Amino acid sequence: MAADQGIRIADDGVAEVSMTDARANLTPLLRDVRYGGRPGAFTERGARSAYVVPPDFYERAIRDRAIIDELHRRTQDPGVGDAYDEEQSRIIRGAIHAAALAVDS
C-alpha cells in the first residue's frame, strides 16, 4: 500500500485510514487486513474510532471472551443446585488477576 493512498501503517502495525479518505481506500484497507493479517483502523482527527480485523482474529476474540466470562461465572457464589468449590474459585480469581496484570504491564 502506498502512502499516497491515504493509508498509513502506525508504529504498532495497524493500517490506519482517516474517515475522510475511507471511501477511496476501503478496498485496499480490507485487502491489507485480509491478506496482510494486520488489523486496520478508521481514524477521526487522528484518533482511532473503529477497527477492522480478519475473521479468524474476531472469532478467536469471541471465544476467548466466552472463556473469560465462564471463568468469572465459576468464581461467583453458587445458585441453587450449583456445585461450588471455594478453593477452585480462589485459584481462578488469582489466575485471572495475574493474567490481567501481565497484559496491562
Side-chain angles (χ1 to χ4, degrees), residues 15-65:
E16 295 182 335
V17 64
S18 72
M19 293 300 287
T20 305
D21 297 328
R23 182 181 300 246
N25 291 288
L26 185 58
T27 299
L29 178 68
L30 292 176
R31 284 187 179 140
D32 195 45
V33 168
R34 181 176 182 189
Y35 300 113
R38 82 173 83 233
F42 296 105
T43 61
E44 291 183 275
R45 295 182 178 97
R48 293 177 182 168
S49 58
Y51 286 90
V52 180
V53 296
D56 62 327
F57 178 94
Y58 177 79
E59 290 161 5
R60 188 172 57 249
I62 293 298
R63 183 176 184 276
D64 291 349
R65 181 73 246 178

Side-chain angles (χ1 to χ4, degrees), residues 47-104:
R48 293 177 182 168
S49 58
Y51 286 90
V52 180
V53 296
D56 62 327
F57 178 94
Y58 177 79
E59 290 161 5
R60 188 172 57 249
I62 293 298
R63 183 176 184 276
D64 291 349
R65 181 73 246 178
I67 290 169
I68 292 168
D69 289 346
E70 177 61 19
L71 288 171
H72 278 290
R73 188 192 68 73
R74 289 180 183 212
T75 66
Q76 297 173 5
D77 290 331
V80 176
D82 286 345
Y84 180 75
D85 182 338
E86 182 59 40
E87 179 63 17
Q88 182 183 32
S89 294
R90 186 188 62 74
I91 292 168
I92 292 171
R93 281 192 303 271
I96 291 171
H97 180 72
L101 289 175
V103 168
D104 292 341

